[in-house]
Amino acid sequence: MPEYETPAQEAAPVKILIAGGFGVGKTTLVETISEIDPLRTEERLTSAGVGVDDLDGIESKLVTTVAMDFGRLTLTDAGVVLYMFGTPGQERFWFMWDDLLNGAFGAIVLVDTRRLDRSFPAVDFFESRGLPFVVGANCFHGEQPYTAEEIGAALHLRDSDTPVVMLDARSREDVRDALLALLDVLIAKAQTAAPV
């Protein structure tokens, strides 16, 4: 019987959520890192959102995600394919989050420290469901006046080991580093949960 080469191991699928408040850069983050043209479900903001959508600090925002964003990234060396699902940020679309949570391994919670109060619902959502996450502090205009420690303290994270990483959602390298930080969290959790 002839010997056959061992077939290449298929990359393991890993579902990741990119979550956060309205206008924090979730769609931009997915677009920046995805190896495929990302799926976007954006619609123009209309007068119907006046009095409903809080545009304070993001007045120039013209479109919003109404269902999800989707992108993919293959990490060949790690043997995984990341499937990234960006959640809608507006409160009226948060009902989608529970559906998107199904099958997810972890999340990046993107925050804008200029409007940090809008980050608490996303942090609370993942903490209450026990899904591991990292906080990505989006540095708008290349500036971040706070340290990772200050941001973590302001968010009152239940787990003091939850990483807070600084990133620019437009920078592929920054987004990659945030995803790797999340993978480190997931690996550490899996090792802790593995029977000895």
Side-chain angles (χ1 to χ4, degrees):
M1 188 152 133
E3 289 190 34
Y4 295 99
E5 287 186 35
T6 305
Q9 183 177 1
E10 285 191 37
V14 176
K15 181 178 179 181
I16 300 295
L17 299 185
I18 310 300
F22 182 43
V24 296
K26 298 176 298 293
T27 299
T28 300
L29 186 147
V30 172
E31 287 176 342
T32 296
I33 199 72
S34 181
E35 66 193 12
I36 61 172
D37 285 336
L39 167 72
R40 292 180 296 277
T41 60
E42 290 188 313
E43 292 294 333
R44 291 188 59 74
L45 291 170
T46 66
S47 59
V50 174
V52 177
D53 300 326
D54 184 0
L55 294 174
D56 187 36
I58 52 172
E59 292 83 5
S60 62
K61 187 166 179 61
L62 301 175
V63 295
T64 187
T65 299
V66 295
M68 67 176 177
D69 298 309
F70 173 77
R72 184 187 75 205
L73 179 64
T74 303
L75 301 174
T76 307
D77 292 344
V80 299
V81 178
L82 298 179
Y83 294 101
M84 298 165 288
F85 290 80
T87 64
Q90 293 164 280
E91 188 173 342
R92 60 188 154 137
F93 297 121
W94 286 354
F95 68 90
M96 294 283 305
W97 287 31
D98 278 315
D99 289 336
L100 291 171
L101 181 70
N102 188 25
F105 282 75
I108 293 177
V109 175
L110 207 54
V111 302
D112 176 355
T113 57
R114 301 170 303 173
R115 300 175 298 124
L116 197 61
D117 59 318
R118 300 189 186 129
S119 303
F120 291 108
V123 169
D124 291 344
F125 178 85
F126 293 109
E127 285 183 337
S128 69
R129 284 153 179 87
L131 191 75
F133 66 95
V134 299
V135 173
N138 200 358
C139 302
F140 287 87
H141 310 295
E143 299 174 5
Q144 184 53 258
Y146 305 102
T147 66
E149 293 76 20
E150 290 170 325
I151 295 167
L155 288 172
H156 304 287
L157 299 170
R158 288 185 199 160
D159 184 352
S160 60
D161 291 331
T162 299
V164 176
V165 296
M166 303 298 186
L167 63 87
D168 181 332
R170 301 165 299 176
S171 163
R172 187 169 175 82
E173 184 176 318
D174 285 2
V175 173
R176 184 204 63 214
D177 290 347
L179 288 167
L180 291 174
L182 176 59
L183 288 175
D184 286 343
V185 168
L186 298 178
I187 290 167
K189 181 182 178 194
Q191 290 173 339
T192 315
V196 180

